[in-house]
């Protein structure tokens, strides 16, 4: 078999999942054909228009409506609305012959074996031999689906289970059929990782595969624990959320979002088809779940589940279900002494030891639930997977857990985990005791920057495959450390490239981080050939440390504040005008100062999921770390290309004034934050640091020379300033912005216009930086700005005053 290239994909079935999968293939640049069935009858609108069942608009109504609804949903399934043009819609009668031209057909129809088999029969008539054909099922055994199909079909057929929503959840389970060719599995495994940005996991054809088998067990065992331990919905969500590295929606809120009916469907499937499961009784639904299902309290889709939103007298209130009375009541705050002990422990992995030794109900809850989970996963090997890392990968990528079960167990200690199980009357799988007897004291080890796992077959530690394309900072931090302070760790990535990794709370940028960035540039200029600024935290950085700014402003230490802002500006300029290439690698939240930092690197290698923007207006100031200057400079560069001068400047002014944040890296190009032809987007975040390192290396090899400082920035002076002031005045008059908003906007206008110069003039970057700093400091003397900063610090939300 030669090299396989995917240019065009057909998705059969346009429901929530089908449309989401189609959008994600469009996200990565492929041509997509999305097909669905034809409606059986006309709707009222079609009747009113006098259409018939033969009209194209009617025949494609179901697919077009489904895609339109998907594109409107939030969070968006697509990186950029214009990417939707890569999707062509059609129906399974008129357009079925078009599938002969595609490279991969993905079936996403209703979860019924008879219907799926009918669809495959039709597809086989039109499919070109050799074309990949896969089913996105979450539970139907793959072995039954391809029965009766040709040998070529069966060879190229398997399950490819995306998790919902396909853009955001990284798990991609690949489930072989009885006759799937090994090369097909190998191809899909690497394609999922490299092109779709997924964590690919080859699973066995067992009920619910890996992710849902463990995930649903975990939720079901919680449902039973809630009753046994007399916990409330709020208490469980407090205990199973961010404190243990799980999403904010924790357990019950997640079930509401996914839909209780969906969860029950999968749980029943496991209960019916896994008669040998030693914990079968846990998949039986507790009474309160049965009642909720009877009442159709499925969650968000039916308006109520474990939570219910109520509006009384125009006020919104989220009510919670009382699991004893099954009536809704006002929410109660959940508090536990054990959780207080973890408040100062930043790294989630370091909290587990503290949590399981808690003396209160929370400690008891963790001991009980972790014991159940640990025991369960040991008995699933080799049933659902031969390798432990696949279970951890599936839980992290499919359920958004920061750490998988075996990683958590390692953090607590393998022997301690067994002790917890015994207290609950549970035993681990025999292989765990064999592992300890063989001298292996943990499930994972790190050697030479690579992670190895305990392999049950060989009873030795084996390297986790696929790591060669990644750089895992956790694995190299200690051994490759070049410098460290309380804000950053600088490590050697090899091949002459350094990395500067933020280590502050939420990766905020304060004095230590700035000192670290300067130090990184110094070391790189002296002994290395390039510098990457990147980390693998939950967010790249939420921006400058506003708490520090607030303290200085309240104490009226304006000289210190001026020095601090100047230090930030100088550090950004140091990055831009250094003798080595600098590459920024933003991902997730990259706000304020983090955005300014990226705009001053030679190149940005952004993760596709990067939410980047200059958000300083939200706290009553303008970007003061060279961001306002940079937007004025970029506008000036477009003037030369012959764009209408004021239009571009106005657009950039609004980007800052409305605190716009991109909902993907691709949108950041529209905002002028990322630059076409220079900056790069990476779909798989695991590859981001390695890609950034490669680009720094390419720039160094091409003979990088230190840029010359700019003194040719064209500013428009009074001409632009007048236009801005008229605009802000009109907005304030029509109550669109407050008086204080207008004051901030006018300060920004002054900076971006280059002051009130009487005619367009060429100025230096330093001239603009001084204007920007002056404006920033004057806003810090305003009471209303201080109120905004204080409000953000205490509530995490912007204040409009």
């Amino acid at each position: 078999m030669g090299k396989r290239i995917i240019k065009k994909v057909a998705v059969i079935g346009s429901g929530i999942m089908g449309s989401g999968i189609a959008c994600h293939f469009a996200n990565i640049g492929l041509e997509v054909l999305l097909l669905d069935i034809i409606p059986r009858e006309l709707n009222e609108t079609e009747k009113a228009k006098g259409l018939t069942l033969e009209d194209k608009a009617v025949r494609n109504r179901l697919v077009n409506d489904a895609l339109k609804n998907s594109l409107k949903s939030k969070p968006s399934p697509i990186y950029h609305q214009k990417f939707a043009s890569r999707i062509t819609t059609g129906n399974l009668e008129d357009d079925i012959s078009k599938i002969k031209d595609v490279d991969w057909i993905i079936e996403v129809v209703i979860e019924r074996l008879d219907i799926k088999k009918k669809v495959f029969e039709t597809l086989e008539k039109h499919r070109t031999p050799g074309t990949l054909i896969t089913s996105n099922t979450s539970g139907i055994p793959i072995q039954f689906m391809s029965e009766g199909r040709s040998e070529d079909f069966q060879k190229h057929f398997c399950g490819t289970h995306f998790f919902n929503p396909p853009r955001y959840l990284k798990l991609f389970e690949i489930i072989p059929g009885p006759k799937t060719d090994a090369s097909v599995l190998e191809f899909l495994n690497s394609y999922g990782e490299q092109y779709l940005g997924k964590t690919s996991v080859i699973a066995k054809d067992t009920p619910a595969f890996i992710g849902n088998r463990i995930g649903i067990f975990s939720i079901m065992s919680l449902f039973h624990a809630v009753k046994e331990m007399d916990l409330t919905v709020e208490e469980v969500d407090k205990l199973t959320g961010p404190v243990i590295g799980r999403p904010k929606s924790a357990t019950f809120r997640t079930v509401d979002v996914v839909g209780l009916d969906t969860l029950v469907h999968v749980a029943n499937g496991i209960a019916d088809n896994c008669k040998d499961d030693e914990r079968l009784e846990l998949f039986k639904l507790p009474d309160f779940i049965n009642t909720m299902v009877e009442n159709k309290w499925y969650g968000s889709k039916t308006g109520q589940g474990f939570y219910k939103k109520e509006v009384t007298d125009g006020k919104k209130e989220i009510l919670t279900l009382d699991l004893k009375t099954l009536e809704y009541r006002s929410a109660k705050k959940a508090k536990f002494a054990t959780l207080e002990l973890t408040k100062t422990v930043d790294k989630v992995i370091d909290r587990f030891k503290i949590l399981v030794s808690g003396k209160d109900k929370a400690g008891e809850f963790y001991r009980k639930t972790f014991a159940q989970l640990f025991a369960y996963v040991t008995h699933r090997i080799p049933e659902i997977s031969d390798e432990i890392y696949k279970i951890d990968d599936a839980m992290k990528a499919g359920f958004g857990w920061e750490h998988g079960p075996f990683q958590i167990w390692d953090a607590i200690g393998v022997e301690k985990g067994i002790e917890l199980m015994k207290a609950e009357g549970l035993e681990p799988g025999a292989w765990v005791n064999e592992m300890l007897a063989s001298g292996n004291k943990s499930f994972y080890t790190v050697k030479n920057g690579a992670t190895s796992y305990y392999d049950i077959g060989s009873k030795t530690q084996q390297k986790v495959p696929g790591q060669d394309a990644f750089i895992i900072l956790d694995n190299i931090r200690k051994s490759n450390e070049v410098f460290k302070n309380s804000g950053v760790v600088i490590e050697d990535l090899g091949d002459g490239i350094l990395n500067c990794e933020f280590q502050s709370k939420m990766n905020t940028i304060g004095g230590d981080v700035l000192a670290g960035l300067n130090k990184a540039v110094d070391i790189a200029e002296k002994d290395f050939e390039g510098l990457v600024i990147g980390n693998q935290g939950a967010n790249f950085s939420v921006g400058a440390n506003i708490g520090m700014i607030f303290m200085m402003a309240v104490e009226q230490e304006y000289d210190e504040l001026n020095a601090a802002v100047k230090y930030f500006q100088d550090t950004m300029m140091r990055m831009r005008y250094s003798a080595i290439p600098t590459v920024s690698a933003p991902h997730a939240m990259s706000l304020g100062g983090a955005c300014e930092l990226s705009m001053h690197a030679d190149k940005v290698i952004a993760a596709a999921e990067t939410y980047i923007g200059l958000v300083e207006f939200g706290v009553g100031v303008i970007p003061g770390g060279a961001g306002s200057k940079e937007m004025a400079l970029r506008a000036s560069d477009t003037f030369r290309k012959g764009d209408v001068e004021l239009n571009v400047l106005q657009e950039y002014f609004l980007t800052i004034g409305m605190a716009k944040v991109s909902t993907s890296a691709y949108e950041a190009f529209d905002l002028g934050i990322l630059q076409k032809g220079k900056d790069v987007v990476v779909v798989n975040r695991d590859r981001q640091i390695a890609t950034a390192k490669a680009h720094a290396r390419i720039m160094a090899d091409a003979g990088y020379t230190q840029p010359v400082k700019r003194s040719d920035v064209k500013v428009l002076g009074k001409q632009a300033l007048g236009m801005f002031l008229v605009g802000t005045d009109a907005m304030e008059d029509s109550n669109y912005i407050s008086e204080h908003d207008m004051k901030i906007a006018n300060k920004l206008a002054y900076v971006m216009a280059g002051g009130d110069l009487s005619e367009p003039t060429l100025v230096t970057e330093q001239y603009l930086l001084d204007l920007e700093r002056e404006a920033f400091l004057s806003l810090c003397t305003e009471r209303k700005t201080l109120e905004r900063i204080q409000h953000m610090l205490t509530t995490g939300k912007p204040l409009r005053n």
Side-chain angles (χ1 to χ4, degrees), residues 259-291:
L260 185 62
D261 51 339
T262 307
L263 177 94
V264 165
H265 174 73
V266 183
N268 286 338
I270 296 172
D272 295 344
N273 297 303
C274 299
K275 296 298 182 201
D276 297 335
D277 191 309
E278 75 290 350
R279 302 310 307 276
L280 192 60
E281 81 285 355
L282 280 182
F283 288 98
K284 306 251 164 47
L285 305 173
D287 296 343
F288 71 92
I289 297 290
N290 280 323
T291 309

Side-chain angles (χ1 to χ4, degrees), residues 189-227:
N189 193 45
S190 63
Y191 189 88
E193 186 269 313
Q194 188 176 351
Y195 293 93
L196 292 165
K198 300 292 174 199
T199 299
S200 303
V201 173
I202 296 180
K204 294 186 179 186
D205 192 6
T206 55
F209 315 130
I210 298 178
N212 278 335
R213 181 74 176 273
I214 306 299
I216 301 295
F217 167 80
S218 180
I219 293 171
M220 293 304 291
S221 81
L222 271 178
F223 283 169
H224 291 280
V226 169
K227 287 307 257 185

